Amino acid sequence: MQGSPEISRSKIQIKKRALILNAAERVFARHGFAGSRLIEISKEAGLPKSNILYYFKSKEDIYSSLCQDILENWLGAIGDISENSEPSDALKKYIVAKMELSKKRPFASKVFAMEIISGAPVIGDYLATELRSWVDNQAKIFRAWQERGHIIDVSPYHVFFVIWAVTQTYADFETQIKLVLGDGHLGSREYDRAVKAVTEIILNGLTPRK
Amino acid sequence: MQGSPEISRSKIQIKKRALILNAAERVFARHGFAGSRLIEISKEAGLPKSNILYYFKSKEDIYSSLCQDILENWLGAIGDISENSEPSDALKKYIVAKMELSKKRPFASKVFAMEIISGAPVIGDYLATELRSWVDNQAKIFRAWQERGHIIDVSPYHVFFVIWAVTQTYADFETQIKLVLGDGHLGSREYDRAVKAVTEIILNGLTPRK
DNA sequence: GTCTATAAACTGATAGAC
DNA sequence: GTCTATCAGTTTATAGAC
């Protein structure tokens, strides 16, 4: 997960690399790293295969560049949970932001899902360091809320596992959801229903009863 | 998803096929169908590669047999939700059963996750017919509960998507959970905490406030 | 920068000896 | 039933013409 800070690229390089990463995202989302073929990425990108290996030195290079790109995009899109806000406001914002991300970039979510199911060979280091310390910090805020009686007394870590699971399922298991709903596509109306159900269940679920 | 009812097999065939399917479950869980190699399955099973293709006619045959096996196992392990019981009792039973299945057979859960993320080419038909009609029936029970004011008014379908996502995350994203918790393994103590958190959040989340 | 040709290694599956 | 040998097709990656 080391950055590539010193590499200077021309305009066309930046453009083509972005085109290839975009195509790779769709291919890796469907077959994972090991199951994906360069020729499929090249077809998806509308480029000859050898052109792909001109812009990236290997299949692994494409994959790790993609993972890094997704990671940076996600970190930018989702903010922290601030201690000063009301728990319900802060959590709602977080959940809605994650649901929007699932809707906006479902293939990125699928690439991550496959990567983690495969044992996180590429992003494992990030999970164990940056993500872990981020969750540790958020957990402190949760504990403060719990001491004030604002949310129920459950492990904050598992609250995050629940939120992640639920919000990402609408990207990762889109196929299943479509087939069970009998809908050709997960339209905006159904997606709104999903956001409503998810936020209601989790927020209500975390709120104590007197 | 058609059964193979008429095929008679000797004892050794049954035994070796089970051994191979067990090995294949671990391999497919890690790399998905397209990313898995017969040689890896053979190593995992402790058999020479050509022996694998003596007991199964192709890689696809292994995979679809495995999917069918998992499906039957799951249908047997998890019962329906009965209308007559209290919603909280019925739902708690269902959630705990799903959590136990995730703990007991995590690789099976991962195979399914990868299959669905890949667009469900093999189990798609099952999802669109059997699973869909099962959920349709359960949804009616939910609607009855909602009319009596026993659970909150959200789409029953999304309640299932939430429950599935949360219970399966402890199998599928086990790697991430371990790394974030900083634990070498998801021990029984932590798993109990997970079951507690998940059931509390969902049951509390579905219970109306007067 | 782009594309054809091809090397070098691998993969699913089969044939046939034991 | 088990195992070695091997075929035919594929895959990543490189060399070199344009």
mmCIF file with all atom_site columns, all heavy atoms in Angstrom, chain C residues 6-15:
data_model
loop_
_atom_site.group_PDB
_atom_site.id
_atom_site.type_symbol
_atom_site.label_atom_id
_atom_site.label_alt_id
_atom_site.label_comp_id
_atom_site.label_asym_id
_atom_site.label_entity_id
_atom_site.label_seq_id
_atom_site.pdbx_PDB_ins_code
_atom_site.Cartn_x
_atom_site.Cartn_y
_atom_site.Cartn_z
_atom_site.occupancy
_atom_site.B_iso_or_equiv
_atom_site.pdbx_formal_charge
_atom_site.auth_seq_id
_atom_site.auth_comp_id
_atom_site.auth_asym_id
_atom_site.auth_atom_id
_atom_site.pdbx_PDB_model_num
ATOM 1   P P     . DT C 1 6  ? 5.601   -15.528 -35.110 1.00 0.00 ? 6  DT C P     1
ATOM 2   O OP1   . DT C 1 6  ? 6.647   -15.926 -36.042 1.00 0.00 ? 6  DT C OP1   1
ATOM 3   O OP2   . DT C 1 6  ? 4.237   -16.070 -35.222 1.00 0.00 ? 6  DT C OP2   1
ATOM 4   O "O5'" . DT C 1 6  ? 6.129   -15.779 -33.636 1.00 0.00 ? 6  DT C "O5'" 1
ATOM 5   C "C5'" . DT C 1 6  ? 7.152   -14.923 -33.102 1.00 0.00 ? 6  DT C "C5'" 1
ATOM 6   C "C4'" . DT C 1 6  ? 7.275   -15.154 -31.612 1.00 0.00 ? 6  DT C "C4'" 1
ATOM 7   O "O4'" . DT C 1 6  ? 6.282   -14.393 -30.887 1.00 0.00 ? 6  DT C "O4'" 1
ATOM 8   C "C3'" . DT C 1 6  ? 7.079   -16.609 -31.174 1.00 0.00 ? 6  DT C "C3'" 1
ATOM 9   O "O3'" . DT C 1 6  ? 8.121   -16.948 -30.297 1.00 0.00 ? 6  DT C "O3'" 1
ATOM 10  C "C2'" . DT C 1 6  ? 5.756   -16.584 -30.435 1.00 0.00 ? 6  DT C "C2'" 1
ATOM 11  C "C1'" . DT C 1 6  ? 5.849   -15.189 -29.821 1.00 0.00 ? 6  DT C "C1'" 1
ATOM 12  N N1    . DT C 1 6  ? 4.570   -14.637 -29.271 1.00 0.00 ? 6  DT C N1    1
ATOM 13  C C2    . DT C 1 6  ? 4.594   -14.045 -28.031 1.00 0.00 ? 6  DT C C2    1
ATOM 14  O O2    . DT C 1 6  ? 5.607   -13.943 -27.355 1.00 0.00 ? 6  DT C O2    1
ATOM 15  N N3    . DT C 1 6  ? 3.383   -13.563 -27.598 1.00 0.00 ? 6  DT C N3    1
ATOM 16  C C4    . DT C 1 6  ? 2.179   -13.631 -28.284 1.00 0.00 ? 6  DT C C4    1
ATOM 17  O O4    . DT C 1 6  ? 1.171   -13.159 -27.799 1.00 0.00 ? 6  DT C O4    1
ATOM 18  C C5    . DT C 1 6  ? 2.223   -14.257 -29.575 1.00 0.00 ? 6  DT C C5    1
ATOM 19  C C7    . DT C 1 6  ? 0.977   -14.377 -30.398 1.00 0.00 ? 6  DT C C7    1
ATOM 20  C C6    . DT C 1 6  ? 3.400   -14.733 -30.007 1.00 0.00 ? 6  DT C C6    1
ATOM 21  P P     . DA C 1 7  ? 8.732   -18.432 -30.305 1.00 0.00 ? 7  DA C P     1
ATOM 22  O OP1   . DA C 1 7  ? 9.640   -18.534 -31.452 1.00 0.00 ? 7  DA C OP1   1
ATOM 23  O OP2   . DA C 1 7  ? 7.650   -19.405 -30.128 1.00 0.00 ? 7  DA C OP2   1
ATOM 24  O "O5'" . DA C 1 7  ? 9.605   -18.410 -28.971 1.00 0.00 ? 7  DA C "O5'" 1
ATOM 25  C "C5'" . DA C 1 7  ? 10.333  -17.237 -28.604 1.00 0.00 ? 7  DA C "C5'" 1
ATOM 26  C "C4'" . DA C 1 7  ? 10.128  -16.910 -27.138 1.00 0.00 ? 7  DA C "C4'" 1
ATOM 27  O "O4'" . DA C 1 7  ? 8.791   -16.394 -26.939 1.00 0.00 ? 7  DA C "O4'" 1
ATOM 28  C "C3'" . DA C 1 7  ? 10.273  -18.114 -26.207 1.00 0.00 ? 7  DA C "C3'" 1
ATOM 29  O "O3'" . DA C 1 7  ? 11.117  -17.745 -25.142 1.00 0.00 ? 7  DA C "O3'" 1
ATOM 30  C "C2'" . DA C 1 7  ? 8.853   -18.395 -25.738 1.00 0.00 ? 7  DA C "C2'" 1
ATOM 31  C "C1'" . DA C 1 7  ? 8.226   -17.012 -25.791 1.00 0.00 ? 7  DA C "C1'" 1
ATOM 32  N N9    . DA C 1 7  ? 6.764   -16.982 -25.970 1.00 0.00 ? 7  DA C N9    1
ATOM 33  C C8    . DA C 1 7  ? 6.043   -17.375 -27.056 1.00 0.00 ? 7  DA C C8    1
ATOM 34  N N7    . DA C 1 7  ? 4.755   -17.196 -26.936 1.00 0.00 ? 7  DA C N7    1
ATOM 35  C C5    . DA C 1 7  ? 4.618   -16.658 -25.673 1.00 0.00 ? 7  DA C C5    1
ATOM 36  C C6    . DA C 1 7  ? 3.488   -16.244 -24.946 1.00 0.00 ? 7  DA C C6    1
ATOM 37  N N6    . DA C 1 7  ? 2.244   -16.324 -25.403 1.00 0.00 ? 7  DA C N6    1
ATOM 38  N N1    . DA C 1 7  ? 3.702   -15.743 -23.694 1.00 0.00 ? 7  DA C N1    1
ATOM 39  C C2    . DA C 1 7  ? 4.947   -15.675 -23.233 1.00 0.00 ? 7  DA C C2    1
ATOM 40  N N3    . DA C 1 7  ? 6.084   -16.027 -23.826 1.00 0.00 ? 7  DA C N3    1
ATOM 41  C C4    . DA C 1 7  ? 5.841   -16.514 -25.062 1.00 0.00 ? 7  DA C C4    1
ATOM 42  P P     . DA C 1 8  ? 11.879  -18.879 -24.329 1.00 0.00 ? 8  DA C P     1
ATOM 43  O OP1   . DA C 1 8  ? 13.138  -18.266 -23.858 1.00 0.00 ? 8  DA C OP1   1
ATOM 44  O OP2   . DA C 1 8  ? 11.883  -20.116 -25.120 1.00 0.00 ? 8  DA C OP2   1
ATOM 45  O "O5'" . DA C 1 8  ? 10.916  -19.090 -23.084 1.00 0.00 ? 8  DA C "O5'" 1
ATOM 46  C "C5'" . DA C 1 8  ? 10.675  -18.003 -22.205 1.00 0.00 ? 8  DA C "C5'" 1
ATOM 47  C "C4'" . DA C 1 8  ? 9.675   -18.433 -21.163 1.00 0.00 ? 8  DA C "C4'" 1
ATOM 48  O "O4'" . DA C 1 8  ? 8.340   -18.355 -21.723 1.00 0.00 ? 8  DA C "O4'" 1
ATOM 49  C "C3'" . DA C 1 8  ? 9.854   -19.874 -20.668 1.00 0.00 ? 8  DA C "C3'" 1
ATOM 50  O "O3'" . DA C 1 8  ? 9.678   -19.851 -19.267 1.00 0.00 ? 8  DA C "O3'" 1
ATOM 51  C "C2'" . DA C 1 8  ? 8.728   -20.631 -21.369 1.00 0.00 ? 8  DA C "C2'" 1
ATOM 52  C "C1'" . DA C 1 8  ? 7.653   -19.558 -21.431 1.00 0.00 ? 8  DA C "C1'" 1
ATOM 53  N N9    . DA C 1 8  ? 6.640   -19.713 -22.469 1.00 0.00 ? 8  DA C N9    1
ATOM 54  C C8    . DA C 1 8  ? 6.780   -20.255 -23.716 1.00 0.00 ? 8  DA C C8    1
ATOM 55  N N7    . DA C 1 8  ? 5.682   -20.239 -24.439 1.00 0.00 ? 8  DA C N7    1
ATOM 56  C C5    . DA C 1 8  ? 4.756   -19.649 -23.606 1.00 0.00 ? 8  DA C C5    1
ATOM 57  C C6    . DA C 1 8  ? 3.394   -19.339 -23.778 1.00 0.00 ? 8  DA C C6    1
ATOM 58  N N6    . DA C 1 8  ? 2.721   -19.595 -24.891 1.00 0.00 ? 8  DA C N6    1
ATOM 59  N N1    . DA C 1 8  ? 2.748   -18.739 -22.747 1.00 0.00 ? 8  DA C N1    1
ATOM 60  C C2    . DA C 1 8  ? 3.444   -18.481 -21.619 1.00 0.00 ? 8  DA C C2    1
ATOM 61  N N3    . DA C 1 8  ? 4.727   -18.727 -21.345 1.00 0.00 ? 8  DA C N3    1
ATOM 62  C C4    . DA C 1 8  ? 5.324   -19.311 -22.386 1.00 0.00 ? 8  DA C C4    1
ATOM 63  P P     . DA C 1 9  ? 10.018  -21.134 -18.376 1.00 0.00 ? 9  DA C P     1
ATOM 64  O OP1   . DA C 1 9  ? 11.119  -20.732 -17.489 1.00 0.00 ? 9  DA C OP1   1
ATOM 65  O OP2   . DA C 1 9  ? 10.117  -22.343 -19.242 1.00 0.00 ? 9  DA C OP2   1
ATOM 66  O "O5'" . DA C 1 9  ? 8.692   -21.273 -17.502 1.00 0.00 ? 9  DA C "O5'" 1
ATOM 67  C "C5'" . DA C 1 9  ? 8.003   -20.069 -17.144 1.00 0.00 ? 9  DA C "C5'" 1
ATOM 68  C "C4'" . DA C 1 9  ? 6.535   -20.365 -16.992 1.00 0.00 ? 9  DA C "C4'" 1
ATOM 69  O "O4'" . DA C 1 9  ? 5.904   -20.446 -18.286 1.00 0.00 ? 9  DA C "O4'" 1
ATOM 70  C "C3'" . DA C 1 9  ? 6.228   -21.694 -16.280 1.00 0.00 ? 9  DA C "C3'" 1
ATOM 71  O "O3'" . DA C 1 9  ? 5.547   -21.407 -15.074 1.00 0.00 ? 9  DA C "O3'" 1
ATOM 72  C "C2'" . DA C 1 9  ? 5.360   -22.456 -17.279 1.00 0.00 ? 9  DA C "C2'" 1
ATOM 73  C "C1'" . DA C 1 9  ? 4.836   -21.343 -18.182 1.00 0.00 ? 9  DA C "C1'" 1
ATOM 74  N N9    . DA C 1 9  ? 4.496   -21.789 -19.534 1.00 0.00 ? 9  DA C N9    1
ATOM 75  C C8    . DA C 1 9  ? 5.309   -22.427 -20.428 1.00 0.00 ? 9  DA C C8    1
ATOM 76  N N7    . DA C 1 9  ? 4.720   -22.709 -21.574 1.00 0.00 ? 9  DA C N7    1
ATOM 77  C C5    . DA C 1 9  ? 3.443   -22.219 -21.411 1.00 0.00 ? 9  DA C C5    1
ATOM 78  C C6    . DA C 1 9  ? 2.318   -22.203 -22.261 1.00 0.00 ? 9  DA C C6    1
ATOM 79  N N6    . DA C 1 9  ? 2.314   -22.715 -23.494 1.00 0.00 ? 9  DA C N6    1
ATOM 80  N N1    . DA C 1 9  ? 1.181   -21.627 -21.801 1.00 0.00 ? 9  DA C N1    1
ATOM 81  C C2    . DA C 1 9  ? 1.191   -21.114 -20.565 1.00 0.00 ? 9  DA C C2    1
ATOM 82  N N3    . DA C 1 9  ? 2.171   -21.065 -19.672 1.00 0.00 ? 9  DA C N3    1
ATOM 83  C C4    . DA C 1 9  ? 3.276   -21.638 -20.164 1.00 0.00 ? 9  DA C C4    1
ATOM 84  P P     . DC C 1 10 ? 4.973   -22.637 -14.187 1.00 0.00 ? 10 DC C P     1
ATOM 85  O OP1   . DC C 1 10 ? 5.059   -22.180 -12.789 1.00 0.00 ? 10 DC C OP1   1
ATOM 86  O OP2   . DC C 1 10 ? 5.583   -23.901 -14.630 1.00 0.00 ? 10 DC C OP2   1
ATOM 87  O "O5'" . DC C 1 10 ? 3.429   -22.666 -14.593 1.00 0.00 ? 10 DC C "O5'" 1
ATOM 88  C "C5'" . DC C 1 10 ? 2.728   -21.428 -14.697 1.00 0.00 ? 10 DC C "C5'" 1
ATOM 89  C "C4'" . DC C 1 10 ? 1.318   -21.714 -15.170 1.00 0.00 ? 10 DC C "C4'" 1
ATOM 90  O "O4'" . DC C 1 10 ? 1.340   -22.089 -16.569 1.00 0.00 ? 10 DC C "O4'" 1
ATOM 91  C "C3'" . DC C 1 10 ? 0.628   -22.852 -14.424 1.00 0.00 ? 10 DC C "C3'" 1
ATOM 92  O "O3'" . DC C 1 10 ? -0.634  -22.382 -14.007 1.00 0.00 ? 10 DC C "O3'" 1
ATOM 93  C "C2'" . DC C 1 10 ? 0.514   -23.961 -15.465 1.00 0.00 ? 10 DC C "C2'" 1
ATOM 94  C "C1'" . DC C 1 10 ? 0.452   -23.162 -16.765 1.00 0.00 ? 10 DC C "C1'" 1
ATOM 95  N N1    . DC C 1 10 ? 0.891   -23.874 -18.008 1.00 0.00 ? 10 DC C N1    1
ATOM 96  C C2    . DC C 1 10 ? 0.023   -23.902 -19.102 1.00 0.00 ? 10 DC C C2    1
ATOM 97  O O2    . DC C 1 10 ? -1.085  -23.343 -18.994 1.00 0.00 ? 10 DC C O2    1
ATOM 98  N N3    . DC C 1 10 ? 0.403   -24.526 -20.234 1.00 0.00 ? 10 DC C N3    1
ATOM 99  C C4    . DC C 1 10 ? 1.598   -25.113 -20.311 1.00 0.00 ? 10 DC C C4    1
ATOM 100 N N4    . DC C 1 10 ? 1.932   -25.706 -21.458 1.00 0.00 ? 10 DC C N4    1
ATOM 101 C C5    . DC C 1 10 ? 2.516   -25.090 -19.211 1.00 0.00 ? 10 DC C C5    1
ATOM 102 C C6    . DC C 1 10 ? 2.125   -24.472 -18.088 1.00 0.00 ? 10 DC C C6    1
ATOM 103 P P     . DT C 1 11 ? -1.520  -23.222 -12.990 1.00 0.00 ? 11 DT C P     1
ATOM 104 O OP1   . DT C 1 11 ? -2.059  -22.256 -12.023 1.00 0.00 ? 11 DT C OP1   1
ATOM 105 O OP2   . DT C 1 11 ? -0.783  -24.421 -12.535 1.00 0.00 ? 11 DT C OP2   1
ATOM 106 O "O5'" . DT C 1 11 ? -2.699  -23.725 -13.915 1.00 0.00 ? 11 DT C "O5'" 1
ATOM 107 C "C5'" . DT C 1 11 ? -3.441  -22.796 -14.727 1.00 0.00 ? 11 DT C "C5'" 1
ATOM 108 C "C4'" . DT C 1 11 ? -4.467  -23.589 -15.512 1.00 0.00 ? 11 DT C "C4'" 1
ATOM 109 O "O4'" . DT C 1 11 ? -3.836  -24.125 -16.697 1.00 0.00 ? 11 DT C "O4'" 1
ATOM 110 C "C3'" . DT C 1 11 ? -5.031  -24.771 -14.729 1.00 0.00 ? 11 DT C "C3'" 1
ATOM 111 O "O3'" . DT C 1 11 ? -6.444  -24.655 -14.628 1.00 0.00 ? 11 DT C "O3'" 1
ATOM 112 C "C2'" . DT C 1 11 ? -4.609  -26.000 -15.530 1.00 0.00 ? 11 DT C "C2'" 1
ATOM 113 C "C1'" . DT C 1 11 ? -4.257  -25.443 -16.896 1.00 0.00 ? 11 DT C "C1'" 1
ATOM 114 N N1    . DT C 1 11 ? -3.131  -26.149 -17.584 1.00 0.00 ? 11 DT C N1    1
ATOM 115 C C2    . DT C 1 11 ? -3.302  -26.575 -18.879 1.00 0.00 ? 11 DT C C2    1
ATOM 116 O O2    . DT C 1 11 ? -4.337  -26.427 -19.503 1.00 0.00 ? 11 DT C O2    1
ATOM 117 N N3    . DT C 1 11 ? -2.215  -27.204 -19.417 1.00 0.00 ? 11 DT C N3    1
ATOM 118 C C4    . DT C 1 11 ? -0.989  -27.443 -18.812 1.00 0.00 ? 11 DT C C4    1
ATOM 119 O O4    . DT C 1 11 ? -0.089  -28.030 -19.402 1.00 0.00 ? 11 DT C O4    1
ATOM 120 C C5    . DT C 1 11 ? -0.879  -26.969 -17.452 1.00 0.00 ? 11 DT C C5    1
ATOM 121 C C7    . DT C 1 11 ? 0.393   -27.191 -16.694 1.00 0.00 ? 11 DT C C7    1
ATOM 122 C C6    . DT C 1 11 ? -1.941  -26.351 -16.909 1.00 0.00 ? 11 DT C C6    1
ATOM 123 P P     . DG C 1 12 ? -7.263  -25.711 -13.745 1.00 0.00 ? 12 DG C P     1
ATOM 124 O OP1   . DG C 1 12 ? -8.241  -24.947 -12.944 1.00 0.00 ? 12 DG C OP1   1
ATOM 125 O OP2   . DG C 1 12 ? -6.337  -26.636 -13.080 1.00 0.00 ? 12 DG C OP2   1
ATOM 126 O "O5'" . DG C 1 12 ? -8.042  -26.513 -14.865 1.00 0.00 ? 12 DG C "O5'" 1
ATOM 127 C "C5'" . DG C 1 12 ? -8.893  -25.796 -15.754 1.00 0.00 ? 12 DG C "C5'" 1
ATOM 128 C "C4'" . DG C 1 12 ? -9.335  -26.727 -16.868 1.00 0.00 ? 12 DG C "C4'" 1
ATOM 129 O "O4'" . DG C 1 12 ? -8.162  -27.190 -17.571 1.00 0.00 ? 12 DG C "O4'" 1
ATOM 130 C "C3'" . DG C 1 12 ? -10.084 -27.969 -16.408 1.00 0.00 ? 12 DG C "C3'" 1
ATOM 131 O "O3'" . DG C 1 12 ? -11.226 -28.159 -17.240 1.00 0.00 ? 12 DG C "O3'" 1
ATOM 132 C "C2'" . DG C 1 12 ? -9.076  -29.093 -16.539 1.00 0.00 ? 12 DG C "C2'" 1
ATOM 133 C "C1'" . DG C 1 12 ? -8.166  -28.596 -17.651 1.00 0.00 ? 12 DG C "C1'" 1
ATOM 134 N N9    . DG C 1 12 ? -6.770  -29.008 -17.521 1.00 0.00 ? 12 DG C N9    1
ATOM 135 C C8    . DG C 1 12 ? -5.979  -28.924 -16.405 1.00 0.00 ? 12 DG C C8    1
ATOM 136 N N7    . DG C 1 12 ? -4.761  -29.358 -16.589 1.00 0.00 ? 12 DG C N7    1
ATOM 137 C C5    . DG C 1 12 ? -4.748  -29.757 -17.915 1.00 0.00 ? 12 DG C C5    1
ATOM 138 C C6    . DG C 1 12 ? -3.699  -30.322 -18.688 1.00 0.00 ? 12 DG C C6    1
ATOM 139 O O6    . DG C 1 12 ? -2.531  -30.579 -18.342 1.00 0.00 ? 12 DG C O6    1
ATOM 140 N N1    . DG C 1 12 ? -4.107  -30.587 -19.994 1.00 0.00 ? 12 DG C N1    1
ATOM 141 C C2    . DG C 1 12 ? -5.361  -30.329 -20.489 1.00 0.00 ? 12 DG C C2    1
ATOM 142 N N2    . DG C 1 12 ? -5.567  -30.650 -21.771 1.00 0.00 ? 12 DG C N2    1
ATOM 143 N N3    . DG C 1 12 ? -6.344  -29.808 -19.782 1.00 0.00 ? 12 DG C N3    1
ATOM 144 C C4    . DG C 1 12 ? -5.977  -29.548 -18.501 1.00 0.00 ? 12 DG C C4    1
ATOM 145 P P     . DA C 1 13 ? -12.215 -29.380 -16.946 1.00 0.00 ? 13 DA C P     1
ATOM 146 O OP1   . DA C 1 13 ? -13.519 -29.011 -17.528 1.00 0.00 ? 13 DA C OP1   1
ATOM 147 O OP2   . DA C 1 13 ? -12.123 -29.716 -15.506 1.00 0.00 ? 13 DA C OP2   1
ATOM 148 O "O5'" . DA C 1 13 ? -11.633 -30.584 -17.789 1.00 0.00 ? 13 DA C "O5'" 1
ATOM 149 C "C5'" . DA C 1 13 ? -11.492 -30.410 -19.205 1.00 0.00 ? 13 DA C "C5'" 1
ATOM 150 C "C4'" . DA C 1 13 ? -10.699 -31.563 -19.779 1.00 0.00 ? 13 DA C "C4'" 1
ATOM 151 O "O4'" . DA C 1 13 ? -9.337  -31.507 -19.305 1.00 0.00 ? 13 DA C "O4'" 1
ATOM 152 C "C3'" . DA C 1 13 ? -11.213 -32.961 -19.431 1.00 0.00 ? 13 DA C "C3'" 1
ATOM 153 O "O3'" . DA C 1 13 ? -11.722 -33.558 -20.619 1.00 0.00 ? 13 DA C "O3'" 1
ATOM 154 C "C2'" . DA C 1 13 ? -9.990  -33.691 -18.872 1.00 0.00 ? 13 DA C "C2'" 1
ATOM 155 C "C1'" . DA C 1 13 ? -8.827  -32.816 -19.332 1.00 0.00 ? 13 DA C "C1'" 1
ATOM 156 N N9    . DA C 1 13 ? -7.646  -32.851 -18.474 1.00 0.00 ? 13 DA C N9    1
ATOM 157 C C8    . DA C 1 13 ? -7.563  -32.498 -17.163 1.00 0.00 ? 13 DA C C8    1
ATOM 158 N N7    . DA C 1 13 ? -6.359  -32.630 -16.647 1.00 0.00 ? 13 DA C N7    1
ATOM 159 C C5    . DA C 1 13 ? -5.607  -33.119 -17.702 1.00 0.00 ? 13 DA C C5    1
ATOM 160 C C6    . DA C 1 13 ? -4.241  -33.479 -17.810 1.00 0.00 ? 13 DA C C6    1
ATOM 161 N N6    . DA C 1 13 ? -3.373  -33.386 -16.797 1.00 0.00 ? 13 DA C N6    1
ATOM 162 N N1    . DA C 1 13 ? -3.812  -33.910 -19.014 1.00 0.00 ? 13 DA C N1    1
ATOM 163 C C2    . DA C 1 13 ? -4.676  -34.004 -20.031 1.00 0.00 ? 13 DA C C2    1
ATOM 164 N N3    . DA C 1 13 ? -5.971  -33.698 -20.054 1.00 0.00 ? 13 DA C N3    1
ATOM 165 C C4    . DA C 1 13 ? -6.385  -33.254 -18.847 1.00 0.00 ? 13 DA C C4    1
ATOM 166 P P     . DT C 1 14 ? -12.272 -35.100 -20.521 1.00 0.00 ? 14 DT C P     1
ATOM 167 O OP1   . DT C 1 14 ? -13.388 -35.162 -21.472 1.00 0.00 ? 14 DT C OP1   1
ATOM 168 O OP2   . DT C 1 14 ? -12.444 -35.506 -19.118 1.00 0.00 ? 14 DT C OP2   1
ATOM 169 O "O5'" . DT C 1 14 ? -11.069 -35.941 -21.138 1.00 0.00 ? 14 DT C "O5'" 1
ATOM 170 C "C5'" . DT C 1 14 ? -10.472 -35.474 -22.344 1.00 0.00 ? 14 DT C "C5'" 1
ATOM 171 C "C4'" . DT C 1 14 ? -9.383  -36.441 -22.786 1.00 0.00 ? 14 DT C "C4'" 1
ATOM 172 O "O4'" . DT C 1 14 ? -8.205  -36.267 -21.947 1.00 0.00 ? 14 DT C "O4'" 1
ATOM 173 C "C3'" . DT C 1 14 ? -9.737  -37.936 -22.704 1.00 0.00 ? 14 DT C "C3'" 1
ATOM 174 O "O3'" . DT C 1 14 ? -9.374  -38.525 -23.945 1.00 0.00 ? 14 DT C "O3'" 1
ATOM 175 C "C2'" . DT C 1 14 ? -8.923  -38.454 -21.523 1.00 0.00 ? 14 DT C "C2'" 1
ATOM 176 C "C1'" . DT C 1 14 ? -7.708  -37.532 -21.554 1.00 0.00 ? 14 DT C "C1'" 1
ATOM 177 N N1    . DT C 1 14 ? -7.020  -37.326 -20.266 1.00 0.00 ? 14 DT C N1    1
ATOM 178 C C2    . DT C 1 14 ? -5.667  -37.523 -20.193 1.00 0.00 ? 14 DT C C2    1
ATOM 179 O O2    . DT C 1 14 ? -4.986  -37.886 -21.137 1.00 0.00 ? 14 DT C O2    1
ATOM 180 N N3    . DT C 1 14 ? -5.113  -37.294 -18.952 1.00 0.00 ? 14 DT C N3    1
ATOM 181 C C4    . DT C 1 14 ? -5.780  -36.882 -17.806 1.00 0.00 ? 14 DT C C4    1
ATOM 182 O O4    . DT C 1 14 ? -5.178  -36.706 -16.750 1.00 0.00 ? 14 DT C O4    1
ATOM 183 C C5    . DT C 1 14 ? -7.201  -36.693 -17.947 1.00 0.00 ? 14 DT C C5    1
ATOM 184 C C7    . DT C 1 14 ? -8.021  -36.260 -16.775 1.00 0.00 ? 14 DT C C7    1
ATOM 185 C C6    . DT C 1 14 ? -7.746  -36.921 -19.162 1.00 0.00 ? 14 DT C C6    1
ATOM 186 P P     . DA C 1 15 ? -9.754  -40.099 -24.212 1.00 0.00 ? 15 DA C P     1
ATOM 187 O OP1   . DA C 1 15 ? -10.329 -40.145 -25.576 1.00 0.00 ? 15 DA C OP1   1
ATOM 188 O OP2   . DA C 1 15 ? -10.521 -40.621 -23.065 1.00 0.00 ? 15 DA C OP2   1
ATOM 189 O "O5'" . DA C 1 15 ? -8.331  -40.807 -24.226 1.00 0.00 ? 15 DA C "O5'" 1
ATOM 190 C "C5'" . DA C 1 15 ? -7.179  -40.077 -24.658 1.00 0.00 ? 15 DA C "C5'" 1
ATOM 191 C "C4'" . DA C 1 15 ? -5.971  -40.992 -24.671 1.00 0.00 ? 15 DA C "C4'" 1
ATOM 192 O "O4'" . DA C 1 15 ? -5.205  -40.776 -23.457 1.00 0.00 ? 15 DA C "O4'" 1
ATOM 193 C "C3'" . DA C 1 15 ? -6.283  -42.491 -24.709 1.00 0.00 ? 15 DA C "C3'" 1
ATOM 194 O "O3'" . DA C 1 15 ? -5.280  -43.140 -25.498 1.00 0.00 ? 15 DA C "O3'" 1
ATOM 195 C "C2'" . DA C 1 15 ? -6.255  -42.901 -23.248 1.00 0.00 ? 15 DA C "C2'" 1
ATOM 196 C "C1'" . DA C 1 15 ? -5.187  -41.962 -22.669 1.00 0.00 ? 15 DA C "C1'" 1
ATOM 197 N N9    . DA C 1 15 ? -5.425  -41.560 -21.287 1.00 0.00 ? 15 DA C N9    1
ATOM 198 C C8    . DA C 1 15 ? -6.630  -41.243 -20.698 1.00 0.00 ? 15 DA C C8    1
ATOM 199 N N7    . DA C 1 15 ? -6.533  -40.895 -19.426 1.00 0.00 ? 15 DA C N7    1
ATOM 200 C C5    . DA C 1 15 ? -5.165  -40.981 -19.178 1.00 0.00 ? 15 DA C C5    1
ATOM 201 C C6    . DA C 1 15 ? -4.409  -40.745 -18.021 1.00 0.00 ? 15 DA C C6    1
ATOM 202 N N6    . DA C 1 15 ? -4.943  -40.344 -16.857 1.00 0.00 ? 15 DA C N6    1
ATOM 203 N N1    . DA C 1 15 ? -3.071  -40.918 -18.094 1.00 0.00 ? 15 DA C N1    1
ATOM 204 C C2    . DA C 1 15 ? -2.534  -41.304 -19.257 1.00 0.00 ? 15 DA C C2    1
ATOM 205 N N3    . DA C 1 15 ? -3.154  -41.568 -20.413 1.00 0.00 ? 15 DA C N3    1
ATOM 206 C C4    . DA C 1 15 ? -4.483  -41.385 -20.299 1.00 0.00 ? 15 DA C C4    1
#
